[in-house]
Amino acid sequence: TFSTAYTPPIPVIVAASTQFPTLRFCHSFSEGGFKGRCTVKAGRIIEQQLWQLDLEIASFRVSIESRFQLAL
């Protein structure tokens, strides 16, 4: 386990995948208002997705879900 400041460690994952080319590395992350996923094999990024989260909407949904669960 490790942490990086403000950015996913894609270069580190790519470097590791070149040392183990038969393995597929899958990395998911969530930081601040961003969420993403990256899949790397043999030194190549084969899938990469990035989403920017709307924190106001996410906060509102959590609030509504919490109220609903309490009503049960």
Side-chain angles (χ1 to χ4, degrees):
T1 302
F2 57 89
S3 297
T4 58
Y6 308 111
T7 183
I10 306 286
V12 174
I13 296 167
V14 170
S17 75
T18 61
Q19 294 179 9
F20 302 96
T22 59
L23 299 179
R24 184 173 58 173
F25 291 76
C26 300
H27 174 64
S28 298
F29 62 91
S30 179
E31 174 65 38
F34 293 94
K35 177 179 174 182
R37 169 174 60 211
C38 182
T39 305
V40 181
K41 184 172 182 179
R44 297 184 63 165
I45 297 172
I46 57 176
E47 178 188 15
Q48 187 171 17
Q49 297 177 322
L50 177 66
W51 300 276
Q52 185 171 1
L53 305 176
D54 184 335
L55 296 179
E56 280 187 36
I57 290 174
S59 176
F60 177 74
R61 286 183 182 155
V62 168
S63 176
I64 293 297
E65 289 171 3
S66 296
R67 288 182 195 161
F68 179 72
Q69 289 175 355
L70 289 174
L72 294 175

